[in-house]
Amino acid sequence: MDPLTLGVMWRGMVALTNDAGTVLRRTAYSEAVREGRDFSVGLFDRHERMIVQGDFSPGHLGSMPSAVTNFLRYYDAEDLRPGDCLILNDPWMGSGHLPDFFMLSPCFVDGTIVGYAVNCTHMIDVGGAAPGSQQVEGINDQFQEGLRLWPTRVWSEGQPNKEILRIIEANVRVPDKLLGDLMAMRNCNRIVEQRLAHLIGKYGMNRYDEACTEILDRSEAAMRAAISEMPDGTYHAVDYFDDYGPGTEPLRIEVTVTVDGSSVTIDFTGSSPQTRSGINAVLTYVRAFCYYTVKCITSGGTIPQNGGCLRPINFVAEPGSVVNAQPPAGSGARAIMQQRFVDVLMQAFSEVLPDRVIAPSSHWANPNLGGFDPRTGRRFVHYDIIIGGFGGRPDSDGMEATPSAFNIDAIPVEVNENSYPVRVERLELIPDSAGAGRNRGGHGVRKDVTVLGESMTFSNLTDRQRFAPPGILGGEAGAVGRTVLNAGGADPVVLGSKGTYQLDHGDVVTTWLSGGGGYGHPFDREVERVSADVVAGLLSVRKAATSYGVVLDSAGVVDQAATRDLRAARRRAQR
């Protein structure tokens, strides 16, 4: 196919998925979608192949092929009609946990299916034991986590299935937002249908089929070529989750990466067994973030994101492990696990591709608060996202307050305060929290929130409060985080990184996120950059000396002679 036509068609496919995502975001009811962008959009061809993914969350997108396969196991293509919308949220069918709803709509041209529009959206509540449906402790199986749907037709030829929608409405805490988000998902898929019909009308069905096949084959070839540039070998790393609830042991995540010619095998043998809690990952979810990580370090963003570039990547994960949990394990809190899969793979790949990896990043927090809003007398579920920063990178410091494993945005303070009975007292970077290195990690973030509701249940969901994000290639670890209730009061209480608590009106929850790990030896950092962090209030004079070997006065002025002597003495001591 001639490159110009192929390029124009490809950009048209990318644009239609991104435009559809914009419609979803602007018509959604929940702040998680409208402000946090916790959703994804994809286009599949009539052969069920993932042709393009919009620029949204990799955790959803990597799971989409499994969801489409399961949709079409229950509904034959011949049974689908224009205007149909199917949904599912079963973890093992693609969603990974119950709050993620997938929706599939068939795309028709002249009465024939030409492809499938698919999107995934995180619902802020689907019932279950605690508001937000992401409780960790006390969860023995998925049946305690909320409403579970196998592939179900919720719109039939454009008409809503009112019986199904009533069942959903009766089983969730904030039905107006969930049903509103379902309608936004339908809007999104409708845009994909319309734009795809226009594209096919312009180029013809045969040319479109040809383009889909060539895009996938070229993407696979490009990914294989990128992998072939990596030295063959086996690379290994181990990292840990703090726990899987109050009083529990750490969870081990072990990975062995084997590069063999043009393919990569990622083997999680040695990881902890699945737990009796909400902390478990199903294999489709783990694969999604492995795809993401491999693509980041091999392609530099130049290879299209579709099913073709996933073909060279293989997986081994023991069934019944925490990275390949089997039914009926709970998995509601699995979102918090994603960062660790990226971190451990980056550590493994640092052995062979030091110029393409980043150090383990600051963790993030996904607190869920539910209760009654005294302003309205109605039940509320407040889903928040607190984001730390990148680990140090080969050519620069880690970015601040930016997620390294997903594309979700922090929900603005003003939106949360307007929508929910909360008041944000403080939101700031934490000095001295970044892991020291030639390029330091991103700083951790502190957020203080006063809760002003009634009868409130708080589910804390974060990590890196016991095991710091390690540095790589000589870099230092970032500072660990913590969560404290009423930190400024007479009786502060340290909360578990994963736990459920009852809160009173006026309580203050303070979240400190960990800092990202450093990249490269701290003594290789230019003294001017160390001084700049001191002047900016991000680094203390004391840590500048202990971690970087740089001697400064309180104004950030470097004592060059003392710095040379200190660094030389410290290097001799380290030999």
Side-chain angles (χ1 to χ4, degrees), residues 223-247:
M223 179 61 81
R224 290 193 182 278
I227 292 171
S228 297
E229 296 175 1
M230 300 164 59
D232 285 358
T234 299
Y235 311 98
H236 180 262
V238 176
D239 209 331
Y240 296 87
F241 291 101
D242 292 340
D243 51 52
Y244 54 97

Side-chain angles (χ1 to χ4, degrees), residues 498-529:
K498 302 166 198 68
T500 303
Y501 306 92
Q502 302 303 310
L503 301 186
D504 295 325
H505 183 98
D507 281 345
V508 180
V509 177
T510 299
T511 300
W512 282 269
L513 296 183
S514 58
Y519 181 105
H521 199 287
F523 287 6
D524 294 331
R525 186 173 179 85
E526 299 89 340
V527 295
E528 295 79 10
R529 297 170 69 196

Side-chain angles (χ1 to χ4, degrees), residues 450-467:
T450 299
V451 295
L452 301 170
E454 305 292 347
S455 303
M456 292 173 291
T457 300
F458 172 66
S459 290
N460 197 29
L461 194 56
T462 185
D463 203 71
R464 292 296 195 194
Q465 297 189 354
R466 179 175 179 182
F467 295 96

Side-chain angles (χ1 to χ4, degrees), residues 161-231:
N161 186 331
K162 295 180 180 180
E163 288 80 8
I164 295 296
L165 294 176
R166 277 203 299 272
I167 292 172
I168 295 172
E169 183 178 4
N171 282 277
V172 301
R173 292 178 176 85
V174 281
D176 54 336
K177 293 197 173 183
L178 190 151
L179 296 177
D181 284 353
L182 279 179
M183 289 187 286
M185 294 170 73
R186 179 174 178 250
N187 297 341
C188 169
N189 281 2
R190 182 61 180 145
I191 294 298
V192 174
E193 296 173 52
Q194 291 174 344
R195 300 290 175 83
L196 181 60
H198 176 76
L199 186 73
I200 292 173
K202 183 176 181 179
Y203 292 98
M205 192 63 213
N206 291 339
R207 182 65 60 88
Y208 175 71
D209 275 343
E210 182 185 359
C212 289
T213 297
E214 190 151 351
I215 286 167
L216 294 174
D217 290 346
R218 286 191 182 206
S219 298
E220 178 183 1
M223 179 61 81
R224 290 193 182 278
I227 292 171
S228 297
E229 296 175 1
M230 300 164 59

